[in-house]
Amino acid sequence: MSYATPSQTNITVGLQYRRLLEIVLSSAPITVACCVFLFINGIMLFTLRSKSLFRETSRYILLYNLLFADTVQMALSQLLYLLSACRIWLTYPVCGFLAMLADLTNEVSPLTLVVMSLERYVAVCYPLRHTTIITIRNTGVAIVVVWAFSSLNVLIQVILLLDFPFEELESLQMKDHCSDIAMFLSPLPDHYNKAFTCFLFVSAGVTVTCSYIGVVIAARSASTDKASAHKARNTLLLHLVQLGLSLSSTVHDPLIIAMSKFLDRVAIGRIQRVLYVCIILLPRCLSALIYGIRDQTIRPILIYHLCCRLKLPRLGSQPT
């Protein structure tokens, strides 16, 4: 029986310490940024439930649904990132649950943007019928349809996944980090996911674009409120940008896999961290920041809650 010498033990401990230090240094800044983003989203969600005006207005209800999906998606993405950084391999059932939940919230966001765009279109093009078409009840039905449609897609993915012969595997323990791509154990789920993603974003893009064109045409009418039409047009442009950012998150894993074929591990790690922050985390926080700054009704209440409900003294006044 051979025993490790003290020098070999020291080398092993040193490598483990170096690996731990590398994980901390690479993960800590991203984790801190994610916590800040989650804090901002959380405050925004609380703000949208703090006043009856927000709870009883359709566009704010839809915004709450969008932010809720983005916040859950951000938290799940960070959890999977930390598991990957710490080299913690999950079992297929646990990874499948997390991956499907992430897919669910990832699909809710573009569909909610579509409903929000249609709401703005009705507000500008049919102002007299807006209050009868866009009601609290209809908004709730639209949100239920969005979640049901997304859940149906997840259910189809689960059915395709269960078709894989797991009994032929030596173990249910995964040999790589958890991701939606890692759960594509056969070509069929991969093909279905790509087809559904293309269908989803093409349909959403066409709907938002048509809504924008309709608002632009309506803005030229003499009977249309010019200020309202201009604001709605800017909002729809914002929805198009948000839709593009949501689409960019779907190319994160394929892009990393493609670059890993001709770049070394260190370069891939750095690029992956940058892409993760730019196209996964940041877009999920932009909605809260943009709407919190643009909306004159939300802005003062959001700042009030961000400042921990402290009333700051006005300039030139003496604190008592």
Side-chain angles (χ1 to χ4, degrees):
M1 182 180 295
S2 60
Y3 295 93
T5 63
S7 60
Q8 291 175 332
T9 303
N10 292 336
I11 292 175
T12 302
V13 173
L15 291 175
Q16 293 176 347
Y17 176 78
R18 181 179 178 181
R19 173 59 184 166
L20 179 62
L21 184 62
E22 179 184 348
I23 292 174
V24 172
L25 292 178
S26 62
S27 303
I30 296 178
T31 303
V32 171
C34 181
C35 290
V36 173
F37 294 157
L38 286 173
F39 173 76
I40 294 174
N41 276 24
I43 293 296
M44 186 67 171
L45 288 171
F46 178 79
T47 300
L48 290 172
R49 302 301 297 174
S50 62
K51 300 291 182 180
S52 59
L53 171 65
F54 300 142
R55 297 192 299 268
E56 298 171 0
T57 305
S58 294
R59 59 177 176 148
Y60 293 130
I61 296 174
L62 292 171
L63 177 58
Y64 182 91
N65 186 66
L66 175 66
L67 288 174
F68 177 79
D70 284 346
T71 303
V72 174
Q73 171 70 16
M74 191 190 309
L76 288 172
S77 298
Q78 184 62 21
L79 174 60
L80 294 177
Y81 173 82
L82 290 176
L83 291 174
S84 175
C86 297
R87 295 184 179 275
I88 299 177
W89 310 144
L90 303 177
T91 60
Y92 280 106
V94 175
C95 177
F97 173 78
L98 294 177
M100 295 306 168
L101 186 58
D103 282 344
L104 172 64
T105 54
N106 192 46
E107 290 151 12
V108 167
S109 295
L111 291 174
T112 304
L113 287 173
V114 169
V115 179
M116 295 174 72
S117 299
L118 293 175
E119 186 274 332
R120 287 293 85 197
Y121 172 79
V122 173
V124 174
C125 299
Y126 304 97
L128 299 180
R129 299 178 58 188
H130 179 262
T131 54
T132 57
I133 297 175
I134 310 299
T135 62
I136 301 298
R137 180 180 179 277
N138 290 343
T139 303
V141 170
I143 292 175
V144 170
V145 170
V146 165
W147 282 91
F149 183 78
S150 302
S151 300
L152 178 61
N153 170 62
V154 171
L155 179 61
I156 294 174
Q157 293 189 48
V158 172
I159 293 174
L160 293 176
L161 181 62
L162 293 177
D163 189 54
F164 182 81
F166 285 96
E167 62 276 4
E168 296 181 4
L169 296 176
E170 296 180 359
S171 172
L172 290 179
Q173 186 71 36
M174 300 182 67
K175 299 180 180 179
D176 200 356
H177 67 273
C178 177
S179 66
D180 53 351
I181 293 182
M183 294 304 298
F184 296 153
L185 302 176
S186 62
L188 186 57
D190 186 26
H191 297 331
Y192 170 79
N193 182 71
K194 290 178 180 178
F196 179 83
T197 301
C198 292
F199 168 77
L200 175 64
F201 283 98
V202 169
S203 302
V206 170
T207 304
V208 177
T209 302
C210 291
S211 300
Y212 175 79
I213 295 174
V215 169
V216 171
I217 295 175
R220 298 177 180 178
S221 173
S223 61
T224 304
D225 185 354
K226 303 298 181 182
S228 176
H230 179 74
K231 186 176 180 180
R233 185 181 63 184
N234 292 339
T235 301
L236 290 173
L237 282 176
L238 173 61
H239 291 341
L240 278 175
V241 173
Q242 290 176 288
L243 194 62
L245 292 173
S246 296
L247 178 61
S248 67
S249 65
T250 63
V251 302
H252 175 267
D253 288 343
L255 189 61
I256 294 298
I257 293 175
M259 290 189 297
S260 64
K261 296 178 180 179
F262 56 88
L263 293 177
D264 59 79
R265 176 178 169 272
V266 176
I268 285 295
R270 293 173 180 173
I271 294 175
Q272 184 177 13
R273 287 190 288 271
V274 173
L275 291 177
Y276 174 71
V277 174
C278 294
I279 70 178
I280 299 294
L281 291 185
L282 187 58
R284 304 298 174 186
C285 187
L286 282 180
S287 297
L289 291 175
I290 293 174
Y291 283 100
I293 294 173
R294 288 182 73 246
D295 196 290
Q296 300 293 333
T297 307
I298 297 178
R299 185 194 305 171
I301 303 176
L302 177 63
I303 294 176
Y304 173 70
H305 290 304
L306 284 175
C307 295
C308 301
R309 303 185 180 184
L310 296 177
K311 292 185 177 180
L312 301 179
R314 297 179 180 178
L315 294 177
S317 64
Q318 297 295 331
T320 58

